[in-house]
Amino acid sequence: MTGANADVLPEGHYSAPPADLNVLDPKVWARTVARDADGVATVGGVDVKTLAEQHGTPAYFLDEADFRSRARAWRD
């Protein structure tokens, strides 16, 4: 099923996945999301495996430092 505007994406959105699916796009991910030496994603320095073990899944995590810095940048 396709909509009337299905072929028109907002600016900054991609029509196809990136060549390297391990790249963390800064338009999507918080500034403090990274991959450790083993390739595991981390949020604010805490790996997502630990977060999932401690809090269960599905879960949504925000890095307070990143959230506050973006709010300050928007305000300024």
Side-chain angles (χ1 to χ4, degrees), residues 3-59:
N5 297 316
D7 60 339
V8 179
L9 295 172
E11 183 178 335
H13 287 74
Y14 302 102
S15 60
D20 183 353
L21 295 176
N22 290 310
V23 172
L24 298 172
D25 186 337
K27 293 179 182 174
V28 176
W29 296 95
R31 294 176 183 134
T32 59
V33 173
R35 293 198 183 275
D36 66 14
D38 296 323
V40 175
T42 61
V43 179
V46 181
D47 74 68
V48 294
K49 290 179 181 180
T50 300
L51 292 170
E53 289 170 1
Q54 291 177 352
H55 304 283
T57 62

